[in-house]
Amino acid sequence: MARSQVTIDLGAVRRNVDTLRRTASPAAVWAVVKADAYGHGAADVAHAALEAGAEALAVATVAEARELRRTEPGAQILVMGPVEGDELAAAREARVELAVGDGEVPADLPVHLKLDTGMGRWGSSELPRPLPPNAVAVMSHLASADCDPTFTELQTERFARATAGLRVPRHLANSAGALRFPAARLDAVRCGIAVLGLSPFGDDPAADGLEPVLSWRSRLARVTRLEAGESTGYGRRFVAERPTWIGVVPVGYADGFPRDLTGTEVLVAGERCAVVGTISMDAFAVALPGERPVGTAVTIVGDGLLLEEHARLANTITYELACGIATDASRCVRTVVA
Ligand SMILES: *Cc1c(COP(=O)(O)O)cnc(C)c1O
């Protein structure tokens, strides 16, 4: 039996894209599927997003774009990360568009000129006027749309001023910008996390009409009773104060359940149970309310338990947790629900 199962619900992808389209209208929705769609599976998520009316795809690297081109021969694909000179031939062959900030603008590929309005990462400090003939769009990126409205408005104003009078499409907003900042929507919004039904704000995605796409389930592989004074796991970080039933779940940090998640909760046959002791590479332990049979269902994410909860406890963001889930066949069974 599989150690764990990851289920990807493409119906949820389509409904999320639909919600985003209605929210951002008349701006187009572009689906950001870099890093294998944040661990959810780029080919599957991209296809469902396009079916639901996303008008383009965006990734971080030329290699990601090449992969996608195989399954989406007709899609508009934007590479948002910086591209080295020796990747240009591959980029041309994959018929992609490139985001270009500082430095030379390749002449024979469609480019989106990237302006730095405050992210302080990629992007130029000024747009060339007139734009080069192969500039098909101008863009910028928001640094803190999830947490700082004042700075987001400042970036939006800077971008509006710097691009006034240009006739090419303009795009600025990520998921947080698309959901909360109407002035940032412009011609297209670039949404990654929201397409996956995860909240860019770290709270309940339902507040923005979004539905989680990924669920992650396992089972109790062993059930054992600790007597008072006995412990479970490395470092003996959990010592039973009284006789305690412990369930061992065959999922650990190598599966993408990080060591910082001690203390978070999972559902054991629908009941919330705390993760106790040190999380090891291939297993973690839960404190059970009583004896439970081996094989009892454990939900790590899903059935109302949100990835956002785990992220908060581990002091990180859902983006990082989702990217870390090991979905290859050597660790889990990944199922796609069309
Ligand atoms: C990753 C990325 C996005 C998508 O961000 P979300 O918060 O996942 O919506 C948009 N634009 C750029 C430039 C990105 O790198």
Side-chain angles (χ1 to χ4, degrees):
M1 205 172 151
R3 300 165 65 248
S4 74
Q5 294 102 37
V6 167
T7 306
I8 302 297
D9 179 358
L10 297 182
V13 171
R14 289 189 292 267
R15 290 187 289 278
N16 293 333
V17 168
D18 196 56
T19 299
L20 290 165
R21 286 181 69 204
R22 276 184 284 112
T23 303
S25 170
V29 171
W30 295 356
V32 177
V33 293
K34 64 194 177 194
D36 202 24
Y38 308 2
H40 287 57
D44 295 321
V45 172
H47 196 74
L50 291 169
E51 277 175 344
E55 291 184 25
L57 303 171
V59 292
T61 70
V62 173
E64 288 175 343
R66 274 160 65 98
E67 268 302 297
L68 261 189
R69 181 53 82 209
R70 299 199 335 222
T71 52
E72 299 303 338
Q76 180 185 355
I77 303 178
L78 169 66
V79 175
M80 300 185 299
V83 170
E84 301 289 330
D86 61 2
E87 296 176 296
L88 288 176
R92 241 173 257 125
E93 192 188 69
R95 292 175 284 116
V96 302
E97 301 179 359
L98 301 182
V100 175
D102 268 331
E104 213 175 307
V105 179
D108 57 346
L109 274 162
V111 297
H112 298 228
L113 294 182
K114 189 165 192 174
L115 183 71
D116 182 7
T117 53
M119 180 69 174
R121 201 175 56 173
W122 316 113
S124 55
S125 49
E126 241 179 317
L127 291 172
R129 299 271 187 152
L131 296 180
N134 60 327
V136 295
V138 289
M139 64 184 287
S140 187
H141 192 33
L142 298 173
S144 49
D146 58 325
C147 59
D148 185 346
T150 309
F151 194 70
T152 304
E153 280 152 22
L154 178 68
Q155 282 196 273
T156 305
E157 280 159 28
R158 282 180 182 159
F159 189 61
R161 222 174 302 125
T163 60
L166 293 177
R167 286 209 191 86
V168 296
R170 301 181 296 164
H171 53 101
L172 170 65
N174 51 8
S175 295
L179 291 167
R180 299 281 163 88
F181 296 92
R185 290 174 190 147
L186 304 172
D187 295 301
V189 295
R190 307 183 303 264
C191 296
I193 203 82
V195 168
L196 306 171
L198 298 169
S199 167
F201 314 104
D203 38 57
D204 189 345
D208 291 293
L210 302 169
E211 253 180 85
V213 166
L214 178 145
S215 49
W216 192 11
R217 296 185 177 84
S218 184
R219 68 203 149 83
L220 299 181
R222 179 152 196 261
V223 176
T224 182
R225 196 175 108 124
L226 299 181
E227 300 305 331
E230 291 183 331
S231 62
T232 180
Y234 287 114
R236 306 195 66 233
R237 281 173 60 213
F238 177 79
V239 180
E241 284 171 12
R242 61 189 80 84
T244 304
W245 285 98
I246 291 289
V248 181
V249 181
V251 170
Y253 58 81
D255 300 283
F257 194 84
R259 283 176 89 252
D260 297 347
L261 284 179
T262 298
T264 196
E265 291 179 333
V266 296
L267 301 173
V268 178
E271 272 183 286
R272 281 183 173 261
C273 294
V275 171
V276 296
T278 304
I279 288 150
S280 43
M281 192 181 292
D282 308 306
F284 67 80
V286 285
L288 301 173
E291 188 175 8
R292 296 289 181 272
V294 166
T296 299
V298 174
T299 304
I300 303 167
V301 179
D303 308 324
L305 195 143
L306 298 172
L307 190 62
E308 284 81 355
E309 280 186 46
H310 297 316
R312 265 197 301 281
L313 187 113
N315 228 329
T316 181
I317 52 177
T318 54
Y319 300 71
E320 187 182 33
L321 292 182
C323 282
I325 299 174
T327 56
D328 58 291
S330 67
R331 304 295 302 191
C332 90
V333 170
R334 178 176 176 276
T335 306
V336 178
V337 180

